[in-house]
Amino acid sequence: MVSVEAIDNGKGITPPMGWRSWNLYGINVDQELIEGVMDAFAAKKREVDGVKKSLCDLGYCDIGLDDGWQLCGSYGQNNYTYHNPMGLPIVNEARFSDLKAMTNKAHSLNLTAGWYLNNCACKDHCGNNKDDGETDTKCYVGDVGALYEFGFDSVKLDGCGFQRDLTLWASLMNSTGRSIMIENCHWGGTVPNATWCPWNYYRTSGDIRANFGSVMSNLATTNQWAQKGLSKPGCWAYPDMLEVGCQHGPGGKSDPGLSEAETRTHFGAWCITSSPLFLSMDPRNDTVMDAVWPVISNPEALEVSKAWFGHSGSPFASSSKIVNLEIESLEYEMASWHFYYKPIDSKRTAVLLINADSNNQDLEFKFESVPNLACKKCKIRDVWNRKDIGVFQDSYKATGVESHDSAFLMISPA
């Protein structure tokens, strides 16, 4: 078996992009739904700069089936939850009649296909059933064998189950000789260090909800990893899937949906922190797609996401005023405004000014406060509107930024 400390599978060189089923559909998934999503991601229906593009043309190519494919039950004398006594996973064939045909369809559309392992609706028993980590490798081996047999290209390894040995998972995958993109979804419980990262991206937070307080709370969990230099190519910090275009998902009342302004801020924040961009909305719904397309297809925002110049993006200033945002009936205290930065190259730096207040605000910063900014007399470009704003000396003020909206800027020497 090949040992793994820091994975080198060629995946996740830039923050991964695609779609996952959980945030909108939860466990209410089937093969027809996933294949319909694949068709929608390959379809060239909307334009960028006058040219029709598909979501995959923009980089959103990995279509991931989350929880809900398993046939949960009690199997064999040891009562395994979704594995047979040999350790092979049991598929709910009433919902997914042919997973190999599903991944073949993805590949025929020049997409990749993602899977989900390590529990059955947050229930798991296989092997010794120890919550501190499964030591019996039977189900690890069976799952990895199925992953390759069915033809999946990526996998989300959740923290709900007991198979939480990520080094073992990565070693088994590497030993097959085929590269698989790995998501560590241990909600911040298993994190990298300078020499150990046997995955391509890792959750820094609990599950996100489609409300602004949850978005901002999850965003904050990336800060320490950027500042420690532990969010980088091949090992990205990830505050969960995007909620743009999502409403009334598995969180029920906690998933009211985001406003247009909140959608911009959410997407911009994930871009400027180099967070993987996994959509979750229904791409077959033209009303939803027409609303979110200008944001998720913005080529300048996507350039910020993909750029790497030594730092993944983090805050450089925040307000002393505190506001309260609601998350699942609880109040979350946070600064009234937050300013994030990310170096793009030797001359350009992206800045995102976030208004978390319930009122409109003027948001102002001095150029000297932005780490390693290469100018005092600077040219500023509006990323959201894709137009130059002008040349400014020493500082810049974005006036009248609406509640929960943001100013997304590209700064370079004049």
Side-chain angles (χ1 to χ4, degrees):
M1 187 179 296
V2 181
S3 65
V4 174
E5 292 184 353
I7 199 165
D8 184 17
N9 61 5
K11 303 293 185 181
I13 303 305
T14 58
M17 300 171 65
W19 181 91
R20 294 291 181 266
S21 57
W22 180 259
N23 276 12
L24 189 59
Y25 297 103
I27 62 172
N28 300 310
V29 290
D30 57 32
Q31 188 162 336
E32 181 180 8
L33 168 67
I34 302 302
E35 291 186 355
V37 168
M38 291 174 177
D39 286 329
F41 269 70
K44 298 177 186 288
K45 292 185 65 175
R46 291 171 178 82
E47 294 185 354
V48 177
D49 294 336
V51 179
K52 285 193 173 182
K53 299 277 189 179
S54 70
L55 284 161
C56 185
D57 289 335
L58 303 176
Y60 305 101
C61 296
D62 191 58
I63 308 304
L65 165 63
D66 208 286
D67 205 353
W69 59 265
Q70 319 91 319
L71 189 61
C72 303
S74 181
Y75 299 97
Q77 64 180 5
N78 293 315
N79 301 314
Y80 291 173
T81 308
Y82 69 103
H83 293 86
N84 69 20
M86 297 175 63
L88 299 175
I90 299 173
V91 177
N92 185 341
E93 294 183 355
R95 290 186 175 190
F96 294 91
S97 60
D98 192 339
L99 287 176
K100 179 61 175 173
M102 188 181 80
T103 64
N104 284 344
K105 179 180 178 70
H107 300 152
S108 73
L109 295 170
N110 293 317
L111 304 169
T112 54
W115 209 21
Y116 173 91
L117 293 171
N118 190 33
N119 78 90
C120 194
C122 271
K123 297 177 182 178
D124 180 46
H125 171 39
C126 183
N128 59 14
N129 200 32
K130 289 186 177 179
D131 189 51
D132 61 352
E134 200 66 79
T135 56
D136 191 325
T137 63
K138 169 170 31 180
C139 293
Y140 287 94
V141 172
D143 287 344
V144 170
L147 181 73
Y148 284 85
E149 179 183 346
F150 291 138
F152 286 101
D153 308 285
S154 65
V155 64
K156 173 181 175 179
L157 300 173
D158 211 336
C160 270
F162 299 151
Q163 295 168 250
R164 292 198 289 270
D165 187 337
L166 292 167
T167 296
L168 176 57
W169 277 118
S171 296
L172 288 168
M173 292 181 203
N174 277 3
S175 68
T176 68
R178 180 166 164 244
S179 294
I180 292 286
M181 185 168 66
I182 301 172
E183 175 190 345
N184 157 8
C185 183
H186 288 190
W187 316 306
T190 307
V191 293
N193 58 41
T195 60
W196 185 73
C197 185
W199 54 76
N200 299 111
Y201 58 111
Y202 60 102
R203 278 280 291 277
T204 56
S205 67
D207 286 358
I208 196 170
R209 300 268 63 95
N211 74 67
F212 190 67
S214 178
V215 167
M216 293 302 297
S217 173
N218 279 36
L219 171 65
T221 66
T222 68
N223 296 345
Q224 64 167 312
W225 308 110
Q227 291 158 354
K228 292 176 180 177
L230 292 174
S231 181
K232 56 189 177 181
C235 184
W236 300 106
Y238 176 50
D240 206 359
M241 294 165 268
L242 290 160
E243 289 280 13
V244 299
C246 291
Q247 192 174 21
H248 308 310
K253 291 181 180 179
S254 299
D255 283 328
L258 302 177
S259 69
E260 181 180 345
E262 291 167 347
T263 295
R264 275 192 296 272
T265 297
H266 180 17
F267 189 77
W270 265 232
C271 288
I272 206 162
T273 55
S274 307
S275 300
L277 301 178
F278 283 98
L279 302 165
S280 305
M281 77 289 167
D282 184 353
R284 305 163 302 170
N285 185 318
D286 284 335
T287 301
V288 169
M289 286 302 301
D290 288 344
V292 302
W293 181 260
V295 176
I296 65 174
S297 70
N298 185 310
E300 297 182 28
L302 293 174
E303 181 192 12
V304 172
S305 170
K306 295 173 183 176
W308 177 252
F309 198 66
H311 181 69
S312 59
S314 62
F316 67 91
S318 60
S319 171
S320 59
K321 177 186 175 182
I322 299 300
V323 297
N324 292 313
L325 298 175
E326 186 174 302
I327 309 173
E328 298 185 291
S329 301
L330 300 174
E331 289 193 339
Y332 172 63
E333 290 187 349
M334 68 174 309
S336 170
W337 51 257
H338 302 255
F339 298 167
Y340 279 73
Y341 84 102
K342 179 182 177 181
I344 303 303
D345 53 37
S346 61
K347 293 185 177 180
R348 297 181 301 157
T349 298
V351 165
L352 185 72
L353 312 177
I354 300 174
N355 179 12
D357 205 286
S358 58
N359 299 306
N360 294 2
Q361 295 194 83
D362 294 345
L363 302 178
E364 184 175 14
F365 67 99
K366 294 182 177 180
F367 297 150
E368 65 182 15
S369 69
V370 182
N372 301 315
L373 186 63
C375 57
K376 292 184 177 180
K377 183 179 182 181
C378 304
K379 184 173 101 173
I380 296 185
R381 182 170 175 82
D382 182 338
V383 171
W384 290 139
N385 293 302
R386 301 185 62 200
K387 65 179 183 181
D388 292 332
I389 298 174
V391 174
F392 299 83
Q393 182 72 45
D394 296 327
S395 66
Y396 175 75
K397 180 190 289 186
T399 59
V401 178
E402 294 183 7
S403 170
H404 297 181
D405 208 343
S406 55
F408 201 174
L409 310 172
M410 186 68 76
I411 307 175
S412 59

